[in-house]
Amino acid sequence: MSQKHWSQIGERGSLLGLRFLLIVYKALGKYPLWICLFPVVFYFYLTDKNGRKASKQFLTKISENQSNNQIAHGQMSVLKHYCTFADAAFDKLDAWLGNISNKQIVYSYPDAMENIAKQGKGAIFIGSHLGNLEVCRAMNQDRYGTKINVLVFTQHAIKFNQLLKEVAEDVDLNMIQVSNVGPDTAMLLKEKVEQGEIVVIVGDRTSQSVAGRVIYSPFLGQEAPFSQGPFILAALLECPIYWLFCFKEGRNFKVCIEHVTDKLKLPRKQRQEVLSDLIASYAARLEYYAMKYPFQWFNFYDFWQRDNSAQRVSSKEDK
């Protein structure tokens, strides 16, 4: 039996409920917030059979691939996974509310962003749903004088994104909402990098509308499908490519910007080979950081499902 594609997993909760939690948070802070938030998270945990199964699957693979300090992958760990996801949502709000200081942002390479800005070439950052890129985006708005354009697929988090807009009017600044990256979008992004701007896209989600445009690469001991789209886009933009990750460490956030190549070329005869090598490199870095920050993995679906068998067409039961 085929399973739902990630794009068919609807957003849960209400905007009114989110607003109430935000009021509690602003008035009392994060720790008192959890008195109200934990029952909500626990309810979603109890009623989300597929999400629990996916979390347990992921944590089990993490455990099986760790030689030391194996993490537990029982239901308490799954609940912790859900709680970490909820906590990350309020970290995003914190970032846009100005509650995270620059001192809390720690760069793995301290001069990375400054050097990219000085070069003025433009670049593409390929991120993921591991960690919290929204914190990175909020903290870097206008900090380096380089525009950061983010390709987003917001229809699956409409209510939360509405809450973000209510918190910060400029949250939509330089966000490019897309359902598919077509020629028009590629041309727009090409213009932006030629002007020295940065484009951010995630590489850990397969296409919402088209099956089969993937390359399978080893990830935590089993081949997983990775969309070719972000990496083909990187070649079309003809600019430097970097991996981008942002993780929470205590009260701080670690930003990892890793240079991949100054320019990606896809010769016709070696196109698939080059793409496969690049995606394998991305999957390896994703695995490396997933092993270090397992509870900050926010893909609550079967990441290893065969792409051609995933249900992409919404049904009446989808909410």
Side-chain angles (χ1 to χ4, degrees):
M1 184 177 178
S2 61
Q3 295 181 326
K4 284 184 180 180
H5 187 255
W6 68 265
S7 60
Q8 295 304 313
I9 300 174
E11 183 180 20
R12 302 177 69 194
S14 69
L15 182 57
L16 184 62
L18 288 170
R19 285 171 175 157
F20 170 74
L21 291 171
L22 179 60
I23 291 170
V24 172
Y25 175 50
K26 283 183 173 181
L28 302 175
K30 186 171 281 190
Y31 291 111
L33 165 72
W34 272 98
I35 297 173
C36 298
L37 185 58
F38 182 76
V40 177
V41 175
F42 190 63
Y43 169 77
F44 287 141
Y45 159 81
L46 286 177
T47 58
D48 185 15
K49 180 181 178 181
N50 290 332
R52 290 198 314 271
K53 182 179 178 181
S55 172
K56 184 173 175 59
Q57 176 196 41
F58 171 76
L59 294 175
T60 298
K61 287 186 178 294
I62 288 287
S63 180
E64 290 172 349
N65 283 273
Q66 285 183 335
S67 56
N68 298 307
N69 301 318
Q70 290 191 345
I71 68 166
H73 48 83
Q75 288 305 315
M76 289 304 294
S77 291
V78 173
L79 179 57
K80 179 182 177 181
H81 198 182
Y82 274 71
C83 288
T84 306
F85 177 63
D87 198 59
F90 280 87
D91 288 333
K92 294 176 184 180
L93 290 167
D94 261 343
W96 288 106
L97 286 166
N99 294 335
I100 298 175
S101 70
N102 286 331
K103 291 181 180 180
Q104 290 174 261
I105 305 297
V106 180
Y107 287 87
S108 56
Y109 300 97
D111 299 328
M113 276 299 297
E114 188 174 351
N115 289 339
I116 292 169
K118 285 180 179 178
Q119 290 173 8
K121 291 182 179 179
I124 183 168
F125 287 1
I126 301 181
S128 70
H129 291 84
L130 174 68
N132 203 331
L133 291 184
E134 190 67 30
V135 169
C136 184
R137 184 172 80 90
M139 296 302 296
N140 281 295
Q141 288 295 109
D142 301 323
R143 184 176 176 185
Y144 294 99
T146 301
K147 285 186 179 180
I148 301 176
N149 305 279
V150 184
L151 269 68
V152 292
F153 305 88
T154 57
Q155 58 266 50
H156 305 291
I158 294 172
K159 296 164 192 172
F160 184 75
N161 281 290
Q162 177 60 39
L163 188 70
L164 282 180
K165 291 176 189 176
E166 293 174 8
V167 166
E169 291 183 358
D170 61 349
V171 74
D172 273 344
L173 190 64
N174 302 325
M175 285 177 66
I176 302 172
Q177 299 188 33
V178 293
S179 57
N180 243 336
V181 179
D184 291 345
T185 306
M187 289 177 62
L188 171 65
L189 298 177
K190 177 74 170 171
E191 291 176 5
K192 289 185 177 296
V193 296
E194 287 176 351
Q195 294 167 4
E197 300 179 18
I198 290 171
V199 171
V200 179
I201 189 171
V202 295
D204 61 339
R205 292 277 174 93
T206 54
S207 171
Q208 294 185 97
S209 57
V210 182
R213 293 180 182 174
V214 299
I215 288 177
Y216 287 86
S217 193
F219 180 70
L220 293 175
Q222 183 179 341
E223 288 198 338
F226 290 87
S227 175
Q228 299 179 39
F231 305 92
I232 292 174
L233 176 64
L236 291 173
L237 297 186
E238 300 181 302
C239 65
I241 302 170
Y242 296 82
W243 305 146
L244 174 65
F245 299 94
C246 179
F247 307 104
K248 189 172 186 180
E249 293 186 341
R251 290 180 55 82
N252 295 331
F253 294 87
K254 183 176 181 179
V255 177
C256 305
I257 301 173
E258 302 181 0
H259 179 260
V260 180
T261 181
D262 283 331
K263 188 176 180 180
L264 176 64
K265 294 183 179 180
L266 295 176
R268 184 161 48 182
K269 292 183 178 180
Q270 289 87 36
R271 177 188 173 93
Q272 287 303 111
E273 181 182 348
V274 173
L275 275 175
S276 294
D277 288 345
L278 183 63
I279 288 174
S281 173
Y282 172 79
R285 295 312 286 163
L286 189 65
E287 177 179 295
Y288 170 79
Y289 286 118
M291 298 275 282
K292 291 187 69 173
Y293 305 94
F295 291 102
Q296 295 184 51
W297 173 259
F298 301 138
N299 284 312
F300 286 87
Y301 64 93
D302 181 2
F303 194 76
W304 292 265
Q305 63 183 299
R306 303 302 293 181
D307 190 59
N308 284 322
S309 66
Q311 295 178 13
R312 282 176 164 83
V313 180
S314 60
S315 64
K316 292 180 181 179
E317 63 186 22
D318 290 337
K319 297 181 179 178

PDB file of all heavy atoms in Angstrom, residues 172-199:
ATOM      1  N   ASP A 172       8.018  38.223   5.072  1.00  0.00           N
ATOM      2  CA  ASP A 172       7.879  37.822   3.662  1.00  0.00           C
ATOM      3  C   ASP A 172       8.966  38.401   2.763  1.00  0.00           C
ATOM      4  O   ASP A 172       9.025  38.094   1.572  1.00  0.00           O
ATOM      5  CB  ASP A 172       6.515  38.266   3.113  1.00  0.00           C
ATOM      6  CG  ASP A 172       5.437  37.227   3.389  1.00  0.00           C
ATOM      7  OD1 ASP A 172       5.798  36.096   3.717  1.00  0.00           O
ATOM      8  OD2 ASP A 172       4.255  37.561   3.282  1.00  0.00           O
ATOM      9  N   LEU A 173       9.797  39.268   3.349  1.00  0.00           N
ATOM     10  CA  LEU A 173      10.819  39.943   2.566  1.00  0.00           C
ATOM     11  C   LEU A 173      11.749  38.928   1.901  1.00  0.00           C
ATOM     12  O   LEU A 173      12.323  38.067   2.553  1.00  0.00           O
ATOM     13  CB  LEU A 173      11.644  40.879   3.466  1.00  0.00           C
ATOM     14  CG  LEU A 173      12.609  41.839   2.783  1.00  0.00           C
ATOM     15  CD1 LEU A 173      11.860  42.830   1.909  1.00  0.00           C
ATOM     16  CD2 LEU A 173      13.452  42.574   3.819  1.00  0.00           C
ATOM     17  N   ASN A 174      11.859  39.024   0.592  1.00  0.00           N
ATOM     18  CA  ASN A 174      12.754  38.160  -0.187  1.00  0.00           C
ATOM     19  C   ASN A 174      12.394  36.677  -0.103  1.00  0.00           C
ATOM     20  O   ASN A 174      13.254  35.823  -0.279  1.00  0.00           O
ATOM     21  CB  ASN A 174      14.218  38.369   0.242  1.00  0.00           C
ATOM     22  CG  ASN A 174      14.651  39.812   0.094  1.00  0.00           C
ATOM     23  OD1 ASN A 174      14.228  40.492  -0.827  1.00  0.00           O
ATOM     24  ND2 ASN A 174      15.470  40.286   1.014  1.00  0.00           N
ATOM     25  N   MET A 175      11.111  36.390   0.177  1.00  0.00           N
ATOM     26  CA  MET A 175      10.635  35.013   0.112  1.00  0.00           C
ATOM     27  C   MET A 175       9.967  34.800  -1.239  1.00  0.00           C
ATOM     28  O   MET A 175       9.151  35.612  -1.662  1.00  0.00           O
ATOM     29  CB  MET A 175       9.650  34.721   1.244  1.00  0.00           C
ATOM     30  CG  MET A 175      10.301  34.556   2.597  1.00  0.00           C
ATOM     31  SD  MET A 175       9.081  34.302   3.926  1.00  0.00           S
ATOM     32  CE  MET A 175       8.413  32.713   3.464  1.00  0.00           C
ATOM     33  N   ILE A 176      10.316  33.727  -1.915  1.00  0.00           N
ATOM     34  CA  ILE A 176       9.751  33.421  -3.221  1.00  0.00           C
ATOM     35  C   ILE A 176       8.925  32.146  -3.075  1.00  0.00           C
ATOM     36  O   ILE A 176       9.473  31.061  -2.885  1.00  0.00           O
ATOM     37  CB  ILE A 176      10.855  33.235  -4.277  1.00  0.00           C
ATOM     38  CG1 ILE A 176      11.711  34.506  -4.365  1.00  0.00           C
ATOM     39  CG2 ILE A 176      10.255  32.899  -5.642  1.00  0.00           C
ATOM     40  CD1 ILE A 176      12.944  34.363  -5.223  1.00  0.00           C
ATOM     41  N   GLN A 177       7.605  32.297  -3.112  1.00  0.00           N
ATOM     42  CA  GLN A 177       6.718  31.159  -2.926  1.00  0.00           C
ATOM     43  C   GLN A 177       6.530  30.437  -4.251  1.00  0.00           C
ATOM     44  O   GLN A 177       6.136  31.041  -5.247  1.00  0.00           O
ATOM     45  CB  GLN A 177       5.382  31.628  -2.361  1.00  0.00           C
ATOM     46  CG  GLN A 177       5.529  32.306  -1.001  1.00  0.00           C
ATOM     47  CD  GLN A 177       4.194  32.587  -0.350  1.00  0.00           C
ATOM     48  OE1 GLN A 177       3.242  31.834  -0.522  1.00  0.00           O
ATOM     49  NE2 GLN A 177       4.127  33.668   0.401  1.00  0.00           N
ATOM     50  N   VAL A 178       6.805  29.143  -4.238  1.00  0.00           N
ATOM     51  CA  VAL A 178       6.708  28.347  -5.460  1.00  0.00           C
ATOM     52  C   VAL A 178       6.074  27.000  -5.145  1.00  0.00           C
ATOM     53  O   VAL A 178       6.139  26.503  -4.037  1.00  0.00           O
ATOM     54  CB  VAL A 178       8.099  28.109  -6.097  1.00  0.00           C
ATOM     55  CG1 VAL A 178       8.702  29.395  -6.605  1.00  0.00           C
ATOM     56  CG2 VAL A 178       9.038  27.447  -5.096  1.00  0.00           C
ATOM     57  N   SER A 179       5.445  26.420  -6.143  1.00  0.00           N
ATOM     58  CA  SER A 179       4.982  25.035  -6.040  1.00  0.00           C
ATOM     59  C   SER A 179       5.870  24.156  -6.916  1.00  0.00           C
ATOM     60  O   SER A 179       6.033  22.971  -6.669  1.00  0.00           O
ATOM     61  CB  SER A 179       3.519  24.918  -6.489  1.00  0.00           C
ATOM     62  OG  SER A 179       3.371  25.410  -7.807  1.00  0.00           O
ATOM     63  N   ASN A 180       6.476  24.784  -7.905  1.00  0.00           N
ATOM     64  CA  ASN A 180       7.416  24.105  -8.797  1.00  0.00           C
ATOM     65  C   ASN A 180       8.392  25.133  -9.346  1.00  0.00           C
ATOM     66  O   ASN A 180       8.005  26.274  -9.616  1.00  0.00           O
ATOM     67  CB  ASN A 180       6.688  23.433  -9.964  1.00  0.00           C
ATOM     68  CG  ASN A 180       6.851  21.931  -9.941  1.00  0.00           C
ATOM     69  OD1 ASN A 180       7.812  21.435  -9.381  1.00  0.00           O
ATOM     70  ND2 ASN A 180       5.914  21.221 -10.544  1.00  0.00           N
ATOM     71  N   VAL A 181       9.639  24.760  -9.506  1.00  0.00           N
ATOM     72  CA  VAL A 181      10.632  25.677 -10.068  1.00  0.00           C
ATOM     73  C   VAL A 181      10.659  25.486 -11.575  1.00  0.00           C
ATOM     74  O   VAL A 181      11.239  24.525 -12.089  1.00  0.00           O
ATOM     75  CB  VAL A 181      12.032  25.428  -9.460  1.00  0.00           C
ATOM     76  CG1 VAL A 181      13.040  26.388 -10.081  1.00  0.00           C
ATOM     77  CG2 VAL A 181      11.991  25.602  -7.948  1.00  0.00           C
ATOM     78  N   GLY A 182      10.007  26.411 -12.291  1.00  0.00           N
ATOM     79  CA  GLY A 182       9.971  26.349 -13.742  1.00  0.00           C
ATOM     80  C   GLY A 182      10.956  27.331 -14.357  1.00  0.00           C
ATOM     81  O   GLY A 182      11.730  27.983 -13.654  1.00  0.00           O
ATOM     82  N   PRO A 183      10.926  27.470 -15.679  1.00  0.00           N
ATOM     83  CA  PRO A 183      11.854  28.372 -16.372  1.00  0.00           C
ATOM     84  C   PRO A 183      11.765  29.816 -15.885  1.00  0.00           C
ATOM     85  O   PRO A 183      12.795  30.492 -15.757  1.00  0.00           O
ATOM     86  CB  PRO A 183      11.413  28.252 -17.835  1.00  0.00           C
ATOM     87  CG  PRO A 183      10.776  26.913 -17.930  1.00  0.00           C
ATOM     88  CD  PRO A 183      10.086  26.707 -16.622  1.00  0.00           C
ATOM     89  N   ASP A 184      10.549  30.311 -15.618  1.00  0.00           N
ATOM     90  CA  ASP A 184      10.393  31.692 -15.166  1.00  0.00           C
ATOM     91  C   ASP A 184      11.081  31.915 -13.824  1.00  0.00           C
ATOM     92  O   ASP A 184      11.766  32.928 -13.612  1.00  0.00           O
ATOM     93  CB  ASP A 184       8.904  32.053 -15.046  1.00  0.00           C
ATOM     94  CG  ASP A 184       8.227  32.140 -16.403  1.00  0.00           C
ATOM     95  OD1 ASP A 184       8.958  32.207 -17.418  1.00  0.00           O
ATOM     96  OD2 ASP A 184       6.988  32.143 -16.456  1.00  0.00           O
ATOM     97  N   THR A 185      10.890  30.962 -12.911  1.00  0.00           N
ATOM     98  CA  THR A 185      11.528  31.069 -11.598  1.00  0.00           C
ATOM     99  C   THR A 185      13.041  31.004 -11.730  1.00  0.00           C
ATOM    100  O   THR A 185      13.768  31.778 -11.084  1.00  0.00           O
ATOM    101  CB  THR A 185      11.050  29.932 -10.672  1.00  0.00           C
ATOM    102  OG1 THR A 185       9.624  29.927 -10.608  1.00  0.00           O
ATOM    103  CG2 THR A 185      11.604  30.108  -9.269  1.00  0.00           C
ATOM    104  N   ALA A 186      13.527  30.100 -12.576  1.00  0.00           N
ATOM    105  CA  ALA A 186      14.969  29.957 -12.781  1.00  0.00           C
ATOM    106  C   ALA A 186      15.576  31.254 -13.329  1.00  0.00           C
ATOM    107  O   ALA A 186      16.659  31.679 -12.898  1.00  0.00           O
ATOM    108  CB  ALA A 186      15.257  28.794 -13.726  1.00  0.00           C
ATOM    109  N   MET A 187      14.880  31.903 -14.267  1.00  0.00           N
ATOM    110  CA  MET A 187      15.369  33.163 -14.829  1.00  0.00           C
ATOM    111  C   MET A 187      15.412  34.261 -13.770  1.00  0.00           C
ATOM    112  O   MET A 187      16.363  35.047 -13.701  1.00  0.00           O
ATOM    113  CB  MET A 187      14.481  33.579 -16.006  1.00  0.00           C
ATOM    114  CG  MET A 187      14.646  32.711 -17.247  1.00  0.00           C
ATOM    115  SD  MET A 187      13.510  33.176 -18.594  1.00  0.00           S
ATOM    116  CE  MET A 187      14.052  34.856 -18.918  1.00  0.00           C
ATOM    117  N   LEU A 188      14.374  34.316 -12.929  1.00  0.00           N
ATOM    118  CA  LEU A 188      14.329  35.301 -11.860  1.00  0.00           C
ATOM    119  C   LEU A 188      15.500  35.109 -10.897  1.00  0.00           C
ATOM    120  O   LEU A 188      16.174  36.080 -10.517  1.00  0.00           O
ATOM    121  CB  LEU A 188      13.006  35.180 -11.101  1.00  0.00           C
ATOM    122  CG  LEU A 188      12.876  36.007  -9.814  1.00  0.00           C
ATOM    123  CD1 LEU A 188      12.900  37.498 -10.126  1.00  0.00           C
ATOM    124  CD2 LEU A 188      11.602  35.625  -9.058  1.00  0.00           C
ATOM    125  N   LEU A 189      15.753  33.873 -10.524  1.00  0.00           N
ATOM    126  CA  LEU A 189      16.833  33.577  -9.582  1.00  0.00           C
ATOM    127  C   LEU A 189      18.199  33.839 -10.212  1.00  0.00           C
ATOM    128  O   LEU A 189      19.127  34.281  -9.527  1.00  0.00           O
ATOM    129  CB  LEU A 189      16.732  32.130  -9.114  1.00  0.00           C
ATOM    130  CG  LEU A 189      15.447  31.783  -8.350  1.00  0.00           C
ATOM    131  CD1 LEU A 189      15.422  30.303  -7.994  1.00  0.00           C
ATOM    132  CD2 LEU A 189      15.322  32.635  -7.087  1.00  0.00           C
ATOM    133  N   LYS A 190      18.303  33.570 -11.510  1.00  0.00           N
ATOM    134  CA  LYS A 190      19.551  33.849 -12.232  1.00  0.00           C
ATOM    135  C   LYS A 190      19.873  35.341 -12.158  1.00  0.00           C
ATOM    136  O   LYS A 190      21.021  35.734 -11.908  1.00  0.00           O
ATOM    137  CB  LYS A 190      19.402  33.394 -13.687  1.00  0.00           C
ATOM    138  CG  LYS A 190      20.592  33.694 -14.582  1.00  0.00           C
ATOM    139  CD  LYS A 190      21.743  32.776 -14.302  1.00  0.00           C
ATOM    140  CE  LYS A 190      22.825  32.930 -15.362  1.00  0.00           C
ATOM    141  NZ  LYS A 190      24.056  32.205 -15.016  1.00  0.00           N
ATOM    142  N   GLU A 191      18.874  36.174 -12.342  1.00  0.00           N
ATOM    143  CA  GLU A 191      19.064  37.629 -12.248  1.00  0.00           C
ATOM    144  C   GLU A 191      19.529  38.018 -10.849  1.00  0.00           C
ATOM    145  O   GLU A 191      20.384  38.887 -10.679  1.00  0.00           O
ATOM    146  CB  GLU A 191      17.756  38.348 -12.583  1.00  0.00           C
ATOM    147  CG  GLU A 191      17.346  38.250 -14.045  1.00  0.00           C
ATOM    148  CD  GLU A 191      15.991  38.885 -14.301  1.00  0.00           C
ATOM    149  OE1 GLU A 191      15.426  39.473 -13.354  1.00  0.00           O
ATOM    150  OE2 GLU A 191      15.490  38.794 -15.445  1.00  0.00           O
ATOM    151  N   LYS A 192      18.971  37.375  -9.861  1.00  0.00           N
ATOM    152  CA  LYS A 192      19.294  37.725  -8.479  1.00  0.00           C
ATOM    153  C   LYS A 192      20.744  37.373  -8.134  1.00  0.00           C
ATOM    154  O   LYS A 192      21.451  38.179  -7.516  1.00  0.00           O
ATOM    155  CB  LYS A 192      18.320  37.045  -7.512  1.00  0.00           C
ATOM    156  CG  LYS A 192      16.916  37.657  -7.580  1.00  0.00           C
ATOM    157  CD  LYS A 192      15.982  37.071  -6.557  1.00  0.00           C
ATOM    158  CE  LYS A 192      14.615  37.767  -6.606  1.00  0.00           C
ATOM    159  NZ  LYS A 192      14.695  39.195  -6.244  1.00  0.00           N
ATOM    160  N   VAL A 193      21.203  36.197  -8.521  1.00  0.00           N
ATOM    161  CA  VAL A 193      22.588  35.847  -8.196  1.00  0.00           C
ATOM    162  C   VAL A 193      23.567  36.699  -9.000  1.00  0.00           C
ATOM    163  O   VAL A 193      24.666  37.020  -8.525  1.00  0.00           O
ATOM    164  CB  VAL A 193      22.867  34.337  -8.412  1.00  0.00           C
ATOM    165  CG1 VAL A 193      22.036  33.498  -7.465  1.00  0.00           C
ATOM    166  CG2 VAL A 193      22.651  33.919  -9.851  1.00  0.00           C
ATOM    167  N   GLU A 194      23.174  37.092 -10.210  1.00  0.00           N
ATOM    168  CA  GLU A 194      24.038  37.968 -11.011  1.00  0.00           C
ATOM    169  C   GLU A 194      24.170  39.344 -10.372  1.00  0.00           C
ATOM    170  O   GLU A 194      25.145  40.066 -10.625  1.00  0.00           O
ATOM    171  CB  GLU A 194      23.494  38.085 -12.441  1.00  0.00           C
ATOM    172  CG  GLU A 194      23.717  36.817 -13.275  1.00  0.00           C
ATOM    173  CD  GLU A 194      23.100  36.899 -14.653  1.00  0.00           C
ATOM    174  OE1 GLU A 194      22.340  37.874 -14.907  1.00  0.00           O
ATOM    175  OE2 GLU A 194      23.372  36.006 -15.484  1.00  0.00           O
ATOM    176  N   GLN A 195      23.184  39.701  -9.535  1.00  0.00           N
ATOM    177  CA  GLN A 195      23.233  40.966  -8.793  1.00  0.00           C
ATOM    178  C   GLN A 195      23.935  40.800  -7.442  1.00  0.00           C
ATOM    179  O   GLN A 195      23.959  41.712  -6.626  1.00  0.00           O
ATOM    180  CB  GLN A 195      21.817  41.495  -8.585  1.00  0.00           C
ATOM    181  CG  GLN A 195      21.125  41.901  -9.883  1.00  0.00           C
ATOM    182  CD  GLN A 195      19.636  42.119  -9.721  1.00  0.00           C
ATOM    183  OE1 GLN A 195      19.101  42.048  -8.613  1.00  0.00           O
ATOM    184  NE2 GLN A 195      18.947  42.376 -10.817  1.00  0.00           N
ATOM    185  N   GLY A 196      24.497  39.616  -7.194  1.00  0.00           N
ATOM    186  CA  GLY A 196      25.236  39.381  -5.958  1.00  0.00           C
ATOM    187  C   GLY A 196      24.386  38.891  -4.801  1.00  0.00           C
ATOM    188  O   GLY A 196      24.839  38.894  -3.657  1.00  0.00           O
ATOM    189  N   GLU A 197      23.158  38.458  -5.093  1.00  0.00           N
ATOM    190  CA  GLU A 197      22.272  38.003  -4.022  1.00  0.00           C
ATOM    191  C   GLU A 197      22.413  36.498  -3.775  1.00  0.00           C
ATOM    192  O   GLU A 197      22.996  35.774  -4.581  1.00  0.00           O
ATOM    193  CB  GLU A 197      20.818  38.349  -4.372  1.00  0.00           C
ATOM    194  CG  GLU A 197      20.595  39.840  -4.552  1.00  0.00           C
ATOM    195  CD  GLU A 197      19.156  40.196  -4.918  1.00  0.00           C
ATOM    196  OE1 GLU A 197      18.262  39.341  -4.695  1.00  0.00           O
ATOM    197  OE2 GLU A 197      18.931  41.305  -5.437  1.00  0.00           O
ATOM    198  N   ILE A 198      21.873  36.051  -2.645  1.00  0.00           N
ATOM    199  CA  ILE A 198      21.935  34.642  -2.256  1.00  0.00           C
ATOM    200  C   ILE A 198      20.552  34.012  -2.413  1.00  0.00           C
ATOM    201  O   ILE A 198      19.540  34.635  -2.114  1.00  0.00           O
ATOM    202  CB  ILE A 198      22.422  34.497  -0.794  1.00  0.00           C
ATOM    203  CG1 ILE A 198      23.906  34.864  -0.700  1.00  0.00           C
ATOM    204  CG2 ILE A 198      22.186  33.084  -0.261  1.00  0.00           C
ATOM    205  CD1 ILE A 198      24.429  34.953   0.722  1.00  0.00           C
ATOM    206  N   VAL A 199      20.538  32.786  -2.891  1.00  0.00           N
ATOM    207  CA  VAL A 199      19.298  32.009  -3.022  1.00  0.00           C
ATOM    208  C   VAL A 199      19.409  30.796  -2.102  1.00  0.00           C
ATOM    209  O   VAL A 199      20.415  30.089  -2.107  1.00  0.00           O
ATOM    210  CB  VAL A 199      19.075  31.551  -4.478  1.00  0.00           C
ATOM    211  CG1 VAL A 199      17.905  30.568  -4.552  1.00  0.00           C
ATOM    212  CG2 VAL A 199      18.827  32.753  -5.378  1.00  0.00           C
TER     213      VAL A 199
END
